[in-house]
Amino acid sequence: MKVRVAAMPELIMHFVSPPTPYFIENGTHTFLPGERHLSRQSIDVFDIIIVTKGTLSIGENNQDWILHKDEAIILRPDAHHFGTAPCEEETEINWIHFQTAGAWSEVSSIHECLENQAALFERHREQAYLCHSEICSFFLPKKIKLSRKSISDLAELNSLDKDPCALRNWKKQTAFQIFMQSLTQDSRPSTSSTAIQLAEKIELFITQNFTSKITNSVLQEKFNYHPNYLAKCMLKVYGVTPIDYLMHYRIEEAKKLLIQTDWSIARIADEVGFSNPGYFSSVFAQKQYDSPSTFRKKRNMEK
């Protein structure tokens, strides 16, 4: 007799954007007592199942879950999904199919997400054909307890079925994104920590002030933590120190200006926070393996 492996409730779905996951279709279904979820293999879309009444037993590959009212699960597009037991009472579900053009992974802890984030970012840039866009992660527990806000957003998504088709599809994409954002907020307490929150504050401070002089001393005064701890937090979440992130962000902004304007190298250097054009060119070449002028020429030739 095959022994099934118990579910791992800490499983986390790690998505990278942009682009954000996009809506495909949604619907509802009612299981009568004695019925169970269909067995399906690799349906090529992510499937969010939300129980709105009753209890649903469902499995994915070698793991099982029991979903109660207002609980949801995210099923993978490349796995085997099936009902593990008949429903004992009338059970109603909402389902949402979505997909992403970017990179994603399923891991056993937030720590593993952060450990593997740099590699996932690199894969994402290749898959999504990104040149100089900012990318970021969002994390969702595989099994989620919906908040009142998420339940309300789900109801809004369902209500759009009353609109004409052409209008409905546009609105559903927006409503889906709002629902996903609510799910992310719902999971925040279980997937966050002081270090992650601090790293995000540092990242926001840098992106809003990158043209100004930012040093470890400035960051220490701003956040009231020793630079070593600030660096540890940033390394954990973003894989780089605050100063490395600052340099990376400045170079990404410079790349945009090199492509989108005919400004001089000196002006671009000043616009992104470098007071010395020579130092800017040196850092740029170190990061991009091309000088700013060579980078610009190559990009112009591609147009």
Side-chain angles (χ1 to χ4, degrees), residues 131-178:
C131 175
H132 50 69
S133 296
E134 286 184 73
I135 59 178
C136 63
S137 295
F138 65 92
F139 311 109
L140 286 167
K142 192 168 183 69
K143 183 181 177 182
I144 310 166
K145 176 67 176 178
L146 271 64
S147 66
R148 289 184 179 179
K149 176 67 167 58
S150 294
I151 295 170
S152 174
D153 290 338
L154 178 64
E156 176 65 22
L157 175 63
N158 290 332
S159 72
L160 297 175
D161 287 328
K162 301 174 184 177
D163 288 344
C165 182
L167 183 61
R168 178 170 72 237
N169 289 338
W170 285 108
K171 287 186 174 182
K172 281 196 172 186
Q173 175 63 36
T174 301
F176 166 73
Q177 291 180 335
I178 292 172

mmCIF file of all heavy atoms in Angstrom, residues 131-178:
data_model
loop_
_atom_site.group_PDB
_atom_site.id
_atom_site.type_symbol
_atom_site.label_atom_id
_atom_site.label_comp_id
_atom_site.label_asym_id
_atom_site.label_seq_id
_atom_site.Cartn_x
_atom_site.Cartn_y
_atom_site.Cartn_z
ATOM 1 N N CYS A 131 15.511 44.106 -19.988
ATOM 2 C CA CYS A 131 16.816 44.746 -20.178
ATOM 3 C C CYS A 131 17.241 45.522 -18.937
ATOM 4 O O CYS A 131 18.268 45.250 -18.344
ATOM 5 C CB CYS A 131 16.759 45.677 -21.387
ATOM 6 S SG CYS A 131 18.264 46.622 -21.650
ATOM 7 N N HIS A 132 16.402 46.485 -18.545
ATOM 8 C CA HIS A 132 16.797 47.317 -17.409
ATOM 9 C C HIS A 132 15.626 47.602 -16.464
ATOM 10 O O HIS A 132 15.621 48.585 -15.756
ATOM 11 C CB HIS A 132 17.408 48.641 -17.891
ATOM 12 C CG HIS A 132 16.562 49.350 -18.911
ATOM 13 N ND1 HIS A 132 15.363 49.911 -18.605
ATOM 14 C CD2 HIS A 132 16.762 49.575 -20.227
ATOM 15 C CE1 HIS A 132 14.850 50.485 -19.684
ATOM 16 N NE2 HIS A 132 15.667 50.277 -20.689
ATOM 17 N N SER A 133 14.619 46.742 -16.480
ATOM 18 C CA SER A 133 13.498 46.923 -15.565
ATOM 19 C C SER A 133 13.877 46.490 -14.149
ATOM 20 O O SER A 133 14.661 45.564 -13.961
ATOM 21 C CB SER A 133 12.293 46.092 -16.025
ATOM 22 O OG SER A 133 11.819 46.534 -17.259
ATOM 23 N N GLU A 134 13.310 47.185 -13.181
ATOM 24 C CA GLU A 134 13.462 46.735 -11.797
ATOM 25 C C GLU A 134 12.626 45.479 -11.613
ATOM 26 O O GLU A 134 11.486 45.409 -12.056
ATOM 27 C CB GLU A 134 12.947 47.810 -10.839
ATOM 28 C CG GLU A 134 13.848 49.005 -10.688
ATOM 29 C CD GLU A 134 13.283 49.943 -9.640
ATOM 30 O OE1 GLU A 134 13.352 49.601 -8.453
ATOM 31 O OE2 GLU A 134 12.759 50.998 -10.035
ATOM 32 N N ILE A 135 13.191 44.508 -10.955
ATOM 33 C CA ILE A 135 12.414 43.302 -10.679
ATOM 34 C C ILE A 135 12.350 43.085 -9.178
ATOM 35 O O ILE A 135 13.224 43.527 -8.423
ATOM 36 C CB ILE A 135 12.993 42.055 -11.382
ATOM 37 C CG1 ILE A 135 14.426 41.790 -10.951
ATOM 38 C CG2 ILE A 135 12.916 42.220 -12.882
ATOM 39 C CD1 ILE A 135 15.015 40.534 -11.580
ATOM 40 N N CYS A 136 11.312 42.404 -8.749
ATOM 41 C CA CYS A 136 11.134 42.155 -7.331
ATOM 42 C C CYS A 136 10.389 40.838 -7.131
ATOM 43 O O CYS A 136 9.814 40.283 -8.072
ATOM 44 C CB CYS A 136 10.375 43.291 -6.665
ATOM 45 S SG CYS A 136 8.690 43.491 -7.283
ATOM 46 N N SER A 137 10.428 40.364 -5.923
ATOM 47 C CA SER A 137 9.759 39.115 -5.570
ATOM 48 C C SER A 137 8.470 39.386 -4.823
ATOM 49 O O SER A 137 8.315 40.416 -4.165
ATOM 50 C CB SER A 137 10.661 38.272 -4.660
ATOM 51 O OG SER A 137 11.820 37.846 -5.312
ATOM 52 N N PHE A 138 7.540 38.473 -4.955
ATOM 53 C CA PHE A 138 6.456 38.416 -3.974
ATOM 54 C C PHE A 138 6.211 36.953 -3.640
ATOM 55 O O PHE A 138 6.385 36.064 -4.460
ATOM 56 C CB PHE A 138 5.189 39.150 -4.425
ATOM 57 C CG PHE A 138 4.481 38.587 -5.608
ATOM 58 C CD1 PHE A 138 3.464 37.657 -5.446
ATOM 59 C CD2 PHE A 138 4.796 39.009 -6.893
ATOM 60 C CE1 PHE A 138 2.786 37.148 -6.530
ATOM 61 C CE2 PHE A 138 4.117 38.505 -7.991
ATOM 62 C CZ PHE A 138 3.120 37.578 -7.806
ATOM 63 N N PHE A 139 5.865 36.747 -2.384
ATOM 64 C CA PHE A 139 5.765 35.408 -1.831
ATOM 65 C C PHE A 139 4.334 35.127 -1.381
ATOM 66 O O PHE A 139 3.682 35.974 -0.768
ATOM 67 C CB PHE A 139 6.704 35.255 -0.626
ATOM 68 C CG PHE A 139 8.103 35.736 -0.882
ATOM 69 C CD1 PHE A 139 8.577 36.890 -0.277
ATOM 70 C CD2 PHE A 139 8.944 35.033 -1.725
ATOM 71 C CE1 PHE A 139 9.865 37.340 -0.514
ATOM 72 C CE2 PHE A 139 10.235 35.464 -1.968
ATOM 73 C CZ PHE A 139 10.707 36.626 -1.361
ATOM 74 N N LEU A 140 3.860 33.935 -1.700
ATOM 75 C CA LEU A 140 2.529 33.513 -1.276
ATOM 76 C C LEU A 140 2.607 32.113 -0.686
ATOM 77 O O LEU A 140 3.158 31.206 -1.332
ATOM 78 C CB LEU A 140 1.562 33.494 -2.460
ATOM 79 C CG LEU A 140 1.077 34.839 -2.983
ATOM 80 C CD1 LEU A 140 0.390 34.669 -4.322
ATOM 81 C CD2 LEU A 140 0.128 35.487 -1.986
ATOM 82 N N PRO A 141 2.086 31.904 0.519
ATOM 83 C CA PRO A 141 2.014 30.540 1.030
ATOM 84 C C PRO A 141 1.178 29.684 0.086
ATOM 85 O O PRO A 141 0.213 30.167 -0.514
ATOM 86 C CB PRO A 141 1.311 30.696 2.380
ATOM 87 C CG PRO A 141 1.503 32.121 2.759
ATOM 88 C CD PRO A 141 1.530 32.879 1.472
ATOM 89 N N LYS A 142 1.539 28.442 -0.070
ATOM 90 C CA LYS A 142 0.767 27.570 -0.957
ATOM 91 C C LYS A 142 -0.671 27.441 -0.465
ATOM 92 O O LYS A 142 -1.612 27.466 -1.253
ATOM 93 C CB LYS A 142 1.429 26.191 -1.036
ATOM 94 C CG LYS A 142 0.864 25.319 -2.140
ATOM 95 C CD LYS A 142 1.721 24.114 -2.373
ATOM 96 C CE LYS A 142 1.205 23.274 -3.522
ATOM 97 N NZ LYS A 142 1.380 23.960 -4.829
ATOM 98 N N LYS A 143 -0.830 27.311 0.831
ATOM 99 C CA LYS A 143 -2.164 27.290 1.436
ATOM 100 C C LYS A 143 -2.374 28.594 2.188
ATOM 101 O O LYS A 143 -1.524 29.005 2.978
ATOM 102 C CB LYS A 143 -2.306 26.102 2.385
ATOM 103 C CG LYS A 143 -3.698 25.979 3.004
ATOM 104 C CD LYS A 143 -3.779 24.789 3.950
ATOM 105 C CE LYS A 143 -5.141 24.712 4.620
ATOM 106 N NZ LYS A 143 -5.239 23.600 5.593
ATOM 107 N N ILE A 144 -3.499 29.257 1.924
ATOM 108 C CA ILE A 144 -3.727 30.612 2.427
ATOM 109 C C ILE A 144 -5.081 30.701 3.124
ATOM 110 O O ILE A 144 -6.069 30.145 2.647
ATOM 111 C CB ILE A 144 -3.715 31.625 1.264
ATOM 112 C CG1 ILE A 144 -2.474 31.436 0.394
ATOM 113 C CG2 ILE A 144 -3.796 33.056 1.784
ATOM 114 C CD1 ILE A 144 -2.558 32.152 -0.937
ATOM 115 N N LYS A 145 -5.110 31.419 4.223
ATOM 116 C CA LYS A 145 -6.365 31.769 4.883
ATOM 117 C C LYS A 145 -6.749 33.164 4.428
ATOM 118 O O LYS A 145 -6.000 34.125 4.627
ATOM 119 C CB LYS A 145 -6.198 31.731 6.407
ATOM 120 C CG LYS A 145 -7.435 32.185 7.180
ATOM 121 C CD LYS A 145 -8.605 31.218 7.011
ATOM 122 C CE LYS A 145 -9.791 31.654 7.884
ATOM 123 N NZ LYS A 145 -10.962 30.769 7.714
ATOM 124 N N LEU A 146 -7.919 33.296 3.791
ATOM 125 C CA LEU A 146 -8.320 34.579 3.239
ATOM 126 C C LEU A 146 -8.798 35.532 4.326
ATOM 127 O O LEU A 146 -9.514 35.141 5.257
ATOM 128 C CB LEU A 146 -9.443 34.403 2.205
ATOM 129 C CG LEU A 146 -9.016 34.154 0.756
ATOM 130 C CD1 LEU A 146 -8.257 32.835 0.633
ATOM 131 C CD2 LEU A 146 -10.222 34.181 -0.170
ATOM 132 N N SER A 147 -8.422 36.797 4.179
ATOM 133 C CA SER A 147 -8.908 37.852 5.062
ATOM 134 C C SER A 147 -10.247 38.374 4.535
ATOM 135 O O SER A 147 -10.688 38.005 3.435
ATOM 136 C CB SER A 147 -7.899 38.999 5.098
ATOM 137 O OG SER A 147 -7.833 39.627 3.826
ATOM 138 N N ARG A 148 -10.870 39.253 5.295
ATOM 139 C CA ARG A 148 -12.118 39.861 4.833
ATOM 140 C C ARG A 148 -11.886 40.649 3.542
ATOM 141 O O ARG A 148 -12.726 40.667 2.650
ATOM 142 C CB ARG A 148 -12.681 40.787 5.911
ATOM 143 C CG ARG A 148 -13.232 40.056 7.132
ATOM 144 C CD ARG A 148 -13.858 41.029 8.104
ATOM 145 N NE ARG A 148 -14.410 40.368 9.273
ATOM 146 C CZ ARG A 148 -14.993 40.992 10.293
ATOM 147 N NH1 ARG A 148 -15.103 42.319 10.260
ATOM 148 N NH2 ARG A 148 -15.462 40.316 11.312
ATOM 149 N N LYS A 149 -10.733 41.316 3.460
ATOM 150 C CA LYS A 149 -10.405 42.093 2.262
ATOM 151 C C LYS A 149 -10.283 41.176 1.043
ATOM 152 O O LYS A 149 -10.814 41.475 -0.032
ATOM 153 C CB LYS A 149 -9.086 42.832 2.484
ATOM 154 C CG LYS A 149 -8.583 43.617 1.257
ATOM 155 C CD LYS A 149 -9.488 44.786 0.927
ATOM 156 C CE LYS A 149 -8.861 45.749 -0.065
ATOM 157 N NZ LYS A 149 -8.481 45.185 -1.342
ATOM 158 N N SER A 150 -9.608 40.047 1.189
ATOM 159 C CA SER A 150 -9.459 39.114 0.074
ATOM 160 C C SER A 150 -10.803 38.537 -0.345
ATOM 161 O O SER A 150 -11.076 38.364 -1.535
ATOM 162 C CB SER A 150 -8.505 37.981 0.453
ATOM 163 O OG SER A 150 -7.208 38.462 0.647
ATOM 164 N N ILE A 151 -11.641 38.219 0.622
ATOM 165 C CA ILE A 151 -12.968 37.686 0.321
ATOM 166 C C ILE A 151 -13.793 38.718 -0.446
ATOM 167 O O ILE A 151 -14.494 38.402 -1.410
ATOM 168 C CB ILE A 151 -13.688 37.263 1.620
ATOM 169 C CG1 ILE A 151 -12.946 36.085 2.273
ATOM 170 C CG2 ILE A 151 -15.141 36.898 1.347
ATOM 171 C CD1 ILE A 151 -13.422 35.760 3.671
ATOM 172 N N SER A 152 -13.685 39.983 -0.032
ATOM 173 C CA SER A 152 -14.396 41.055 -0.719
ATOM 174 C C SER A 152 -13.874 41.233 -2.139
ATOM 175 O O SER A 152 -14.660 41.423 -3.089
ATOM 176 C CB SER A 152 -14.229 42.366 0.069
ATOM 177 O OG SER A 152 -14.786 43.454 -0.632
ATOM 178 N N ASP A 153 -12.543 41.148 -2.316
ATOM 179 C CA ASP A 153 -11.959 41.292 -3.650
ATOM 180 C C ASP A 153 -12.357 40.125 -4.556
ATOM 181 O O ASP A 153 -12.552 40.299 -5.758
ATOM 182 C CB ASP A 153 -10.433 41.379 -3.551
ATOM 183 C CG ASP A 153 -9.965 42.682 -2.921
ATOM 184 O OD1 ASP A 153 -10.745 43.659 -2.951
ATOM 185 O OD2 ASP A 153 -8.848 42.722 -2.397
ATOM 186 N N LEU A 154 -12.470 38.937 -3.968
ATOM 187 C CA LEU A 154 -12.917 37.777 -4.734
ATOM 188 C C LEU A 154 -14.357 37.968 -5.197
ATOM 189 O O LEU A 154 -14.712 37.652 -6.344
ATOM 190 C CB LEU A 154 -12.794 36.509 -3.895
ATOM 191 C CG LEU A 154 -13.275 35.210 -4.554
ATOM 192 C CD1 LEU A 154 -12.408 34.875 -5.765
ATOM 193 C CD2 LEU A 154 -13.243 34.058 -3.533
ATOM 194 N N ALA A 155 -15.202 38.507 -4.323
ATOM 195 C CA ALA A 155 -16.597 38.764 -4.682
ATOM 196 C C ALA A 155 -16.685 39.777 -5.820
ATOM 197 O O ALA A 155 -17.516 39.651 -6.725
ATOM 198 C CB ALA A 155 -17.363 39.273 -3.454
ATOM 199 N N GLU A 156 -15.797 40.769 -5.809
ATOM 200 C CA GLU A 156 -15.768 41.764 -6.883
ATOM 201 C C GLU A 156 -15.385 41.116 -8.209
ATOM 202 O O GLU A 156 -15.981 41.411 -9.248
ATOM 203 C CB GLU A 156 -14.764 42.864 -6.522
ATOM 204 C CG GLU A 156 -14.568 43.915 -7.616
ATOM 205 C CD GLU A 156 -15.814 44.731 -7.895
ATOM 206 O OE1 GLU A 156 -16.708 44.813 -7.017
ATOM 207 O OE2 GLU A 156 -15.914 45.284 -9.020
ATOM 208 N N LEU A 157 -14.421 40.212 -8.170
ATOM 209 C CA LEU A 157 -14.023 39.489 -9.381
ATOM 210 C C LEU A 157 -15.192 38.682 -9.933
ATOM 211 O O LEU A 157 -15.481 38.703 -11.135
ATOM 212 C CB LEU A 157 -12.839 38.579 -9.077
ATOM 213 C CG LEU A 157 -12.370 37.652 -10.209
ATOM 214 C CD1 LEU A 157 -11.872 38.453 -11.409
ATOM 215 C CD2 LEU A 157 -11.262 36.728 -9.701
ATOM 216 N N ASN A 158 -15.899 37.995 -9.049
ATOM 217 C CA ASN A 158 -17.034 37.175 -9.480
ATOM 218 C C ASN A 158 -18.187 38.016 -10.035
ATOM 219 O O ASN A 158 -18.900 37.577 -10.947
ATOM 220 C CB ASN A 158 -17.542 36.328 -8.307
ATOM 221 C CG ASN A 158 -16.566 35.241 -7.915
ATOM 222 O OD1 ASN A 158 -15.793 34.761 -8.750
ATOM 223 N ND2 ASN A 158 -16.584 34.846 -6.653
ATOM 224 N N SER A 159 -18.355 39.216 -9.500
ATOM 225 C CA SER A 159 -19.484 40.056 -9.920
ATOM 226 C C SER A 159 -19.329 40.542 -11.357
ATOM 227 O O SER A 159 -20.313 40.951 -11.985
ATOM 228 C CB SER A 159 -19.615 41.272 -8.990
ATOM 229 O OG SER A 159 -18.560 42.204 -9.215
ATOM 230 N N LEU A 160 -18.110 40.489 -11.901
ATOM 231 C CA LEU A 160 -17.864 41.005 -13.246
ATOM 232 C C LEU A 160 -18.445 40.115 -14.332
ATOM 233 O O LEU A 160 -18.455 40.497 -15.507
ATOM 234 C CB LEU A 160 -16.362 41.195 -13.468
ATOM 235 C CG LEU A 160 -15.703 42.221 -12.539
ATOM 236 C CD1 LEU A 160 -14.200 42.251 -12.762
ATOM 237 C CD2 LEU A 160 -16.307 43.608 -12.745
ATOM 238 N N ASP A 161 -18.930 38.928 -13.970
ATOM 239 C CA ASP A 161 -19.550 38.051 -14.958
ATOM 240 C C ASP A 161 -20.809 38.672 -15.553
ATOM 241 O O ASP A 161 -21.300 38.216 -16.589
ATOM 242 C CB ASP A 161 -19.893 36.700 -14.325
ATOM 243 C CG ASP A 161 -18.655 35.854 -14.081
ATOM 244 O OD1 ASP A 161 -17.699 35.974 -14.863
ATOM 245 O OD2 ASP A 161 -18.634 35.088 -13.103
ATOM 246 N N LYS A 162 -21.324 39.714 -14.923
ATOM 247 C CA LYS A 162 -22.534 40.363 -15.417
ATOM 248 C C LYS A 162 -22.229 41.373 -16.521
ATOM 249 O O LYS A 162 -23.136 41.866 -17.198
ATOM 250 C CB LYS A 162 -23.255 41.066 -14.262
ATOM 251 C CG LYS A 162 -23.657 40.129 -13.122
ATOM 252 C CD LYS A 162 -24.226 40.905 -11.938
ATOM 253 C CE LYS A 162 -24.535 39.975 -10.761
ATOM 254 N NZ LYS A 162 -25.019 40.728 -9.579
ATOM 255 N N ASP A 163 -20.941 41.717 -16.708
ATOM 256 C CA ASP A 163 -20.563 42.699 -17.722
ATOM 257 C C ASP A 163 -20.424 42.045 -19.098
ATOM 258 O O ASP A 163 -20.196 40.835 -19.192
ATOM 259 C CB ASP A 163 -19.223 43.352 -17.358
ATOM 260 C CG ASP A 163 -19.354 44.308 -16.186
ATOM 261 O OD1 ASP A 163 -20.491 44.689 -15.863
ATOM 262 O OD2 ASP A 163 -18.320 44.668 -15.590
ATOM 263 N N PRO A 164 -20.548 42.834 -20.182
ATOM 264 C CA PRO A 164 -20.311 42.291 -21.528
ATOM 265 C C PRO A 164 -18.897 41.729 -21.637
ATOM 266 O O PRO A 164 -17.980 42.198 -20.964
ATOM 267 C CB PRO A 164 -20.487 43.524 -22.435
ATOM 268 C CG PRO A 164 -21.309 44.470 -21.627
ATOM 269 C CD PRO A 164 -20.950 44.240 -20.204
ATOM 270 N N CYS A 165 -18.715 40.752 -22.513
ATOM 271 C CA CYS A 165 -17.455 40.014 -22.601
ATOM 272 C C CYS A 165 -16.244 40.905 -22.801
ATOM 273 O O CYS A 165 -15.233 40.780 -22.108
ATOM 274 C CB CYS A 165 -17.544 38.988 -23.729
ATOM 275 S SG CYS A 165 -16.058 37.978 -23.903
ATOM 276 N N ALA A 166 -16.290 41.824 -23.771
ATOM 277 C CA ALA A 166 -15.134 42.652 -24.083
ATOM 278 C C ALA A 166 -14.715 43.500 -22.893
ATOM 279 O O ALA A 166 -13.533 43.641 -22.586
ATOM 280 C CB ALA A 166 -15.438 43.546 -25.284
ATOM 281 N N LEU A 167 -15.689 44.050 -22.196
ATOM 282 C CA LEU A 167 -15.403 44.865 -21.022
ATOM 283 C C LEU A 167 -15.018 43.989 -19.838
ATOM 284 O O LEU A 167 -14.127 44.327 -19.056
ATOM 285 C CB LEU A 167 -16.634 45.714 -20.685
ATOM 286 C CG LEU A 167 -16.500 46.696 -19.520
ATOM 287 C CD1 LEU A 167 -15.409 47.718 -19.809
ATOM 288 C CD2 LEU A 167 -17.839 47.390 -19.262
ATOM 289 N N ARG A 168 -15.684 42.852 -19.722
ATOM 290 C CA ARG A 168 -15.456 41.928 -18.603
ATOM 291 C C ARG A 168 -13.999 41.471 -18.527
ATOM 292 O O ARG A 168 -13.410 41.438 -17.451
ATOM 293 C CB ARG A 168 -16.379 40.725 -18.757
ATOM 294 C CG ARG A 168 -16.212 39.671 -17.671
ATOM 295 C CD ARG A 168 -17.330 38.667 -17.770
ATOM 296 N NE ARG A 168 -17.221 37.791 -18.926
ATOM 297 C CZ ARG A 168 -18.140 37.649 -19.859
ATOM 298 N NH1 ARG A 168 -19.263 38.348 -19.814
ATOM 299 N NH2 ARG A 168 -17.969 36.815 -20.869
ATOM 300 N N ASN A 169 -13.409 41.139 -19.662
ATOM 301 C CA ASN A 169 -12.046 40.612 -19.647
ATOM 302 C C ASN A 169 -11.028 41.640 -19.164
ATOM 303 O O ASN A 169 -10.071 41.304 -18.458
ATOM 304 C CB ASN A 169 -11.673 40.097 -21.041
ATOM 305 C CG ASN A 169 -12.422 38.821 -21.385
ATOM 306 O OD1 ASN A 169 -12.887 38.109 -20.500
ATOM 307 N ND2 ASN A 169 -12.561 38.535 -22.675
ATOM 308 N N TRP A 170 -11.212 42.903 -19.568
ATOM 309 C CA TRP A 170 -10.318 43.955 -19.078
ATOM 310 C C TRP A 170 -10.470 44.121 -17.570
ATOM 311 O O TRP A 170 -9.485 44.218 -16.828
ATOM 312 C CB TRP A 170 -10.625 45.283 -19.769
ATOM 313 C CG TRP A 170 -10.135 45.379 -21.172
ATOM 314 C CD1 TRP A 170 -10.893 45.356 -22.312
ATOM 315 C CD2 TRP A 170 -8.781 45.523 -21.605
ATOM 316 N NE1 TRP A 170 -10.091 45.469 -23.422
ATOM 317 C CE2 TRP A 170 -8.785 45.576 -23.024
ATOM 318 C CE3 TRP A 170 -7.561 45.613 -20.931
ATOM 319 C CZ2 TRP A 170 -7.624 45.730 -23.768
ATOM 320 C CZ3 TRP A 170 -6.399 45.753 -21.678
ATOM 321 C CH2 TRP A 170 -6.440 45.805 -23.078
ATOM 322 N N LYS A 171 -11.712 44.172 -17.117
ATOM 323 C CA LYS A 171 -11.969 44.398 -15.694
ATOM 324 C C LYS A 171 -11.483 43.230 -14.838
ATOM 325 O O LYS A 171 -11.002 43.416 -13.722
ATOM 326 C CB LYS A 171 -13.463 44.639 -15.461
ATOM 327 C CG LYS A 171 -13.962 45.994 -15.931
ATOM 328 C CD LYS A 171 -15.410 46.203 -15.519
ATOM 329 C CE LYS A 171 -15.893 47.593 -15.835
ATOM 330 N NZ LYS A 171 -17.301 47.794 -15.388
ATOM 331 N N LYS A 172 -11.627 42.009 -15.371
ATOM 332 C CA LYS A 172 -11.211 40.840 -14.592
ATOM 333 C C LYS A 172 -9.697 40.815 -14.370
ATOM 334 O O LYS A 172 -9.225 40.379 -13.316
ATOM 335 C CB LYS A 172 -11.682 39.551 -15.271
ATOM 336 C CG LYS A 172 -13.141 39.232 -15.022
ATOM 337 C CD LYS A 172 -13.470 37.787 -15.372
ATOM 338 C CE LYS A 172 -14.880 37.438 -14.928
ATOM 339 N NZ LYS A 172 -15.200 36.009 -15.115
ATOM 340 N N GLN A 173 -8.938 41.259 -15.362
ATOM 341 C CA GLN A 173 -7.493 41.309 -15.189
ATOM 342 C C GLN A 173 -7.138 42.233 -14.027
ATOM 343 O O GLN A 173 -6.299 41.909 -13.180
ATOM 344 C CB GLN A 173 -6.812 41.783 -16.475
ATOM 345 C CG GLN A 173 -5.308 41.987 -16.351
ATOM 346 C CD GLN A 173 -4.566 40.701 -16.025
ATOM 347 O OE1 GLN A 173 -4.929 39.626 -16.482
ATOM 348 N NE2 GLN A 173 -3.525 40.812 -15.218
ATOM 349 N N THR A 174 -7.775 43.398 -13.989
ATOM 350 C CA THR A 174 -7.525 44.346 -12.904
ATOM 351 C C THR A 174 -7.977 43.783 -11.561
ATOM 352 O O THR A 174 -7.257 43.872 -10.562
ATOM 353 C CB THR A 174 -8.248 45.678 -13.184
ATOM 354 O OG1 THR A 174 -7.789 46.214 -14.422
ATOM 355 C CG2 THR A 174 -7.989 46.677 -12.071
ATOM 356 N N ALA A 175 -9.176 43.195 -11.535
ATOM 357 C CA ALA A 175 -9.696 42.633 -10.291
ATOM 358 C C ALA A 175 -8.831 41.486 -9.794
ATOM 359 O O ALA A 175 -8.627 41.314 -8.584
ATOM 360 C CB ALA A 175 -11.140 42.156 -10.498
ATOM 361 N N PHE A 176 -8.313 40.682 -10.717
ATOM 362 C CA PHE A 176 -7.417 39.585 -10.338
ATOM 363 C C PHE A 176 -6.148 40.113 -9.678
ATOM 364 O O PHE A 176 -5.690 39.577 -8.663
ATOM 365 C CB PHE A 176 -7.069 38.754 -11.574
ATOM 366 C CG PHE A 176 -5.915 37.811 -11.369
ATOM 367 C CD1 PHE A 176 -6.070 36.665 -10.591
ATOM 368 C CD2 PHE A 176 -4.679 38.073 -11.940
ATOM 369 C CE1 PHE A 176 -5.003 35.802 -10.390
ATOM 370 C CE2 PHE A 176 -3.616 37.206 -11.743
ATOM 371 C CZ PHE A 176 -3.773 36.065 -10.968
ATOM 372 N N GLN A 177 -5.576 41.159 -10.233
ATOM 373 C CA GLN A 177 -4.362 41.722 -9.651
ATOM 374 C C GLN A 177 -4.616 42.275 -8.255
ATOM 375 O O GLN A 177 -3.780 42.134 -7.354
ATOM 376 C CB GLN A 177 -3.797 42.798 -10.576
ATOM 377 C CG GLN A 177 -3.238 42.225 -11.873
ATOM 378 C CD GLN A 177 -2.684 43.290 -12.792
ATOM 379 O OE1 GLN A 177 -3.082 44.454 -12.721
ATOM 380 N NE2 GLN A 177 -1.766 42.912 -13.656
ATOM 381 N N ILE A 178 -5.774 42.892 -8.075
ATOM 382 C CA ILE A 178 -6.127 43.399 -6.742
ATOM 383 C C ILE A 178 -6.286 42.239 -5.762
ATOM 384 O O ILE A 178 -5.836 42.301 -4.609
ATOM 385 C CB ILE A 178 -7.418 44.242 -6.815
ATOM 386 C CG1 ILE A 178 -7.157 45.528 -7.602
ATOM 387 C CG2 ILE A 178 -7.938 44.561 -5.419
ATOM 388 C CD1 ILE A 178 -8.395 46.338 -7.889
#
